[in-house]
Amino acid sequence: MTDENRQSALASRPLCTVEFEVGGGLIGIGASPFGDQRLGYITGGRFFGPRIKGIVLPGGGNWSRSGRLGEAASVGTFDARAVWQTDDGALIYLSYTGRSLIPDDVRTAFADPAAPDVDPARYYLRIAPVFETASPRYDWLNGLLAVGVGERTDFGVRHVIHEIL
């Protein structure tokens, strides 16, 4: 590997898993000229990893837009915000954008409460979270960029988040 390749190689390490609970279902705002807008309220949850763990406070949300990508799939964007509280009481503000690609048959299964869980390998759900905190113990989060791989769950969504080194 050349020096140039070493400098441009993307490396990561596990940061945490977060489980967002989304209560009350999704609020469909409707299709505007900018896409089909929906809102999901974050009612709680938890996060856990080797260096950080705690709860997701109620009150955040995910404003998502969706549209079509080709003839057989929906594509979406995210604009989400939440506040986490670590087990030792520190508050961390999280915001993320992201993308989803959901084939039509998977979307149909998501809409059917009687349908079995869909294998996350059948759809694409990725986020790019950033963090803000005033806590000296967790100030390392302020300079960190992360990516997450998500999956839909019966309580909301779960993201496995990796710190980009």
Side-chain angles (χ1 to χ4, degrees), residues 48-105:
F48 48 92
R51 295 178 291 158
I52 188 167
K53 65 181 176 175
I55 61 170
V56 177
L57 297 178
N62 181 6
W63 289 258
S64 61
R65 289 192 188 278
S66 65
R68 299 294 299 167
L69 185 64
E71 294 183 18
S74 295
V75 64
T77 63
F78 308 111
D79 177 7
R81 292 158 187 1
V83 176
W84 294 358
Q85 183 175 26
T86 63
D87 283 353
D88 57 358
L91 295 176
I92 300 166
Y93 170 69
L94 160 82
S95 63
Y96 66 81
T97 60
R99 293 284 187 264
S100 65
L101 181 60
I102 313 293
D104 288 344
D105 64 319

Side-chain angles (χ1 to χ4, degrees), residues 3-14:
D3 286 339
E4 182 178 313
N5 288 342
R6 258 187 238 109
Q7 291 175 356
S8 65
L10 185 63
S12 68
R13 68 177 167 192

Side-chain angles (χ1 to χ4, degrees), residues 105-115 118 152:
D105 64 319
V106 171
R107 190 175 182 94
T108 299
F110 284 169
D112 181 358
V118 176
R152 185 175 181 267

